[in-house]
Amino acid sequence: MLKRDFLKNGLLTMVGALVSPALLASAHEEKLLREARAMPMADGPFSLPALPYAFNALEPHIDAKTMEIHHDAHHKTYVSKLNEAVAGKPEEKLSLAQLLASASKQPDAIRNNAGGHWNHSFFWLLLAPKGGGQPTGALAAAINKDFGSYEKFQEEFTKAATGRFGSGWAWLIHDKQAGKLAITSTPNQDNPLMDLPGIQRGTPLLGLDVWEHAYYLKYQNKRPDYVKAFWNVINWAEVNRRFDEARKG
């Protein structure tokens, strides 16, 4: 019996050594996706927006399976848990923007899930199948003015994204009080619209999700490669539009 158990355990160890971390991660994410799809959306004021393009539309830069799991599992879960967190409370009548603006007064379940819902809804619109290139018009001029050049801006944004310890986001924001653009980063699902200590507040124009679930299936632990790929799918028309609105608002 001992010999048989020894041989069995040894075989399992050998098989485990042959399975790549990427395959193990993929199996875990597939399980997460199945569970999320089977979970009914909690009733409430918030709903999951449709992805504005096909899952494979951003390939080869962001793969279809990552997009599918990111939207259908992770984002769906944030929305469902947010509905659960506000159910029967005064916050149920607040808009998502109001929840973010009062994040310092909210319990973690509302703060984290409201942030996750807003951040992802924003993120999907910043990506485009024929994205990339560079901004134009007033935004291009502001980037040159506030960062010195597009290349300097790109360098600073990349540093914010790769330098964020653990999970979080990198942002390009319009700081209305200062009258200029700024680059910042936030932990977890916090964002620059929240009234939280330590956060540089402003209107988000561009954001990059650097949680591992946003890139691990394709890039594993190589976050810099994912950040580099991001520049090829940015929807600059949407960023330009948001900048024009922020200046007028």
Side-chain angles (χ1 to χ4, degrees):
M1 178 66 72
L2 289 175
K3 181 178 180 181
R4 185 171 63 192
D5 288 345
F6 175 79
L7 291 173
K8 178 181 177 182
N9 291 335
L11 180 60
L12 289 174
T13 300
M14 290 175 62
V15 171
L18 294 174
V19 177
S20 72
L23 287 176
L24 291 173
S26 180
H28 169 73
E29 297 291 349
E30 285 281 11
K31 180 175 180 290
L32 181 67
L33 181 59
R34 289 195 302 272
E35 291 174 348
R37 283 183 167 165
M39 177 184 70
M41 181 74 72
D43 291 334
F46 304 103
S47 58
L48 179 68
L51 201 65
Y53 34 74
F55 294 128
N56 65 353
L58 305 178
E59 290 189 339
H61 310 293
I62 302 179
D63 62 285
K65 182 53 67 176
T66 291
M67 291 300 296
E68 182 182 12
I69 294 169
H70 201 170
H71 179 270
D72 286 11
H74 291 284
H75 191 176
K76 179 185 176 183
T77 300
Y78 286 124
V79 177
S80 189
K81 288 190 174 182
L82 177 58
N83 282 332
E84 290 177 357
V86 300
K89 299 176 182 176
E91 286 82 6
E92 193 172 22
K93 300 184 184 302
L94 297 182
S95 68
L96 190 55
Q98 289 172 319
L99 290 178
L100 299 181
S102 61
S104 64
K105 302 176 183 64
Q106 303 298 342
D108 287 346
I110 293 179
R111 166 185 167 178
N112 293 336
N113 290 300
H117 180 26
W118 191 95
N119 291 351
H120 286 88
S121 299
F122 176 70
F123 186 53
W124 308 137
L125 299 177
L126 299 174
L127 308 176
K130 295 182 180 179
Q134 295 187 17
T136 57
L139 178 59
I143 285 175
N144 287 331
K145 172 179 172 291
D146 295 332
F147 300 105
S149 67
Y150 175 77
E151 289 72 25
K152 286 288 185 182
F153 152 71
Q154 198 174 33
E155 182 181 327
E156 288 190 36
F157 189 92
T158 296
K159 184 178 179 180
T162 56
R164 164 51 58 186
F165 180 78
S167 301
W169 292 73
W171 306 95
L172 170 67
I173 64 172
H174 178 253
D175 184 335
K176 189 174 182 179
Q177 288 189 331
K180 65 178 185 177
L181 302 175
I183 290 171
T184 185
S185 72
T186 56
N188 303 314
Q189 294 297 348
D190 292 348
N191 68 49
L193 296 173
M194 293 179 168
D195 65 332
L196 296 169
I199 285 184
Q200 184 175 358
R201 300 190 71 186
T203 302
L205 306 176
L206 180 68
L208 177 58
D209 187 348
V210 294
W211 282 64
E212 284 190 342
H213 66 235
Y215 62 88
Y216 200 82
L217 293 184
K218 181 175 177 67
Y219 295 101
Q220 288 82 55
N221 63 329
K222 304 179 184 71
R223 186 191 290 181
D225 290 350
Y226 161 68
V227 176
K228 184 177 179 180
F230 171 66
W231 299 103
N232 295 299
V233 292
I234 295 176
N235 183 357
W236 283 114
E238 177 66 14
V239 184
N240 283 334
R241 185 188 68 77
R242 289 177 180 271
F243 178 59
D244 289 340
E245 285 188 354
R247 288 190 303 152
K248 296 172 185 175

